[in-house]
Amino acid sequence: VVTGVEERPQGAIGDDTLIFWRERSAWRAIVGLPVELTEGALAVSVTAGAEKIDASLDVLTANFRRREISVSKRFTSPTKKEKERSKADQLAFDEAFAQEPIDWLFTDSFVWPRNSEITAPFGDLRLVNKKKKSQHFGVDLDGKTGDPVSSSNAGVVVMVRDCFSTGNTLIVHHGGQLFTAYFHLSKIEVSLGQDVKRGQRLGRVGKTGKVTGPHLHWGVKI
């Protein structure tokens, strides 16, 4: 948080640029650190007006949970057509996340899209079918097919797509290049480009895509 200057501050954390957004009388910036970062000091610098501040952030070992899961072989040994579909899905994700920098579209705190048990936390290190390694970049929330899923905050829908791995997928941009993602939905109840409010229903829990059962995979990206 930076106060006392009218011009937009500039900054960096490690190799990533800090992008500041105006909120009332202050400038605020948030950044997501990659899970691949190794333990140690991470340089932080902020320039505001004539002032420059250099500091460091201590990165600690995360010690993510490790576990084994089993999924259908069609997801671990996809056909050529399915590989092409996955490639097209990735391009769609890239496009959705490549939004123009705009100020935050929300004023309230974020809320959970469902009030339910967390069945898989962020960062899970997984051995899939005893072979393929993967990591879980979101939170799995328990639910039955058809249970409601709500928007975590105000924003605009920037992706509605049936994807090979993530199933019926919805992404909301909250401004400031901050996004929430909702995977494996059985039904999507909003449309591309639609403005949504905090707590507004977006769709329903499902088991579409690469899943072992019905749940909501919820992710946050900056």
Side-chain angles (χ1 to χ4, degrees):
V1 180
V2 177
T3 59
V5 294
E6 289 300 319
E7 294 184 5
R8 190 185 302 271
Q10 305 293 321
I13 180 167
D15 295 328
D16 293 324
T17 300
L18 281 174
I19 301 177
F20 286 85
W21 310 103
R22 190 82 179 191
E23 185 179 19
R24 300 182 181 89
S25 60
W27 295 96
R28 297 178 182 270
I30 57 175
V31 64
L33 300 181
V35 297
E36 297 86 3
L37 282 179
T38 56
E39 185 174 347
L42 188 65
V44 181
S45 65
V46 174
T47 300
E51 299 291 331
K52 182 179 180 182
I53 299 173
D54 292 307
S56 65
L57 181 70
D58 290 331
V59 178
L60 306 179
T61 300
N63 293 322
F64 292 119
R65 185 178 73 169
R66 298 173 181 268
R67 67 189 189 117
E68 294 186 11
I69 62 172
S70 297
V71 299
S72 170
K73 287 185 178 181
R74 89 177 184 94
F75 290 114
T76 56
S77 301
T79 64
K80 180 180 178 180
K81 185 176 181 179
E82 289 169 336
K83 289 180 180 178
E84 291 174 350
R85 182 182 172 191
S86 292
K87 185 176 180 179
D89 291 339
Q90 186 57 58
L91 291 175
F93 275 105
D94 293 343
E95 181 179 354
F97 290 135
Q99 299 299 313
E100 291 294 326
I102 58 174
D103 286 338
W104 290 346
L105 302 174
F106 59 93
T107 56
D108 295 318
S109 298
F110 279 69
V111 294
W112 289 99
R114 285 185 48 74
N115 291 318
S116 59
E117 178 187 358
I118 295 176
T119 56
F122 176 86
D124 255 7
L125 293 166
R126 297 170 168 182
L127 189 64
V128 182
N129 294 352
K130 300 185 182 298
K131 293 181 180 180
K132 186 177 180 180
K133 294 180 180 179
S134 69
Q135 191 159 16
H136 192 227
F137 296 132
V139 174
D140 283 351
L141 298 172
D142 193 23
K144 298 179 180 178
T145 297
D147 285 347
V149 173
S150 300
S151 182
S152 294
N153 218 328
V156 59
V157 178
V158 294
M159 181 174 173
V160 174
R161 185 181 178 89
D162 177 13
C163 297
F164 176 64
S165 293
T166 58
N168 288 328
T169 299
L170 181 68
I171 295 176
V172 177
H173 181 210
H174 302 283
Q177 294 182 321
L178 174 63
F179 304 85
T180 51
Y182 310 78
F183 294 171
H184 311 306
L185 301 172
S186 61
K187 185 178 182 181
I188 295 176
E189 299 178 333
V190 292
S191 56
L192 186 65
Q194 180 177 337
D195 294 329
V196 295
K197 298 178 181 179
R198 177 179 183 259
Q200 178 178 337
R201 193 169 71 208
L202 301 176
R204 305 281 182 168
V205 171
K207 55 179 181 179
T208 56
K210 185 178 179 180
V211 294
T212 56
H215 68 277
L216 171 68
H217 171 104
W218 178 65
V220 179
K221 182 178 177 66
I222 175 71

